[in-house]
Amino acid sequence: MVLQYHVPDMSCDHCVKVIGEAVSQAVEGATVQADLRSHTVRVAGTEDKTAVEAAIRSAGYTPAAV
């Protein structure tokens, strides 16, 4: 399963790094891919939407499930 989020406040490579690290720490084995142009984050390797969304929020960003 792949979870996908629109993260409108993700605007640079630093944002991508912070979000990726936050999700990886919160959900062991998750793979994170981010696309700055479309402001989307895809997370594979988990079905735990709550943990992924909480990790993105704790990093300071606003996820919206797509």
Side-chain angles (χ1 to χ4, degrees):
M1 174 179 230
V2 176
L3 304 175
Q4 186 166 327
Y5 297 92
H6 178 69
V7 185
D9 42 1
M10 180 179 68
S11 61
C12 66
D13 288 333
H14 175 74
C15 299
V16 170
K17 181 180 176 184
V18 170
I19 290 170
E21 288 174 355
V23 173
S24 295
Q25 288 177 1
V27 183
E28 187 175 326
T31 303
V32 182
Q33 295 178 324
D35 181 351
L36 282 174
R37 191 169 359 128
S38 64
H39 300 278
T40 56
V41 174
R42 295 171 49 100
V43 181
T46 185
E47 294 181 16
D48 191 348
K49 294 177 183 180
T50 303
V52 171
E53 291 174 15
I56 295 171
R57 281 191 177 86
S58 73
Y61 301 91
T62 310
V66 176

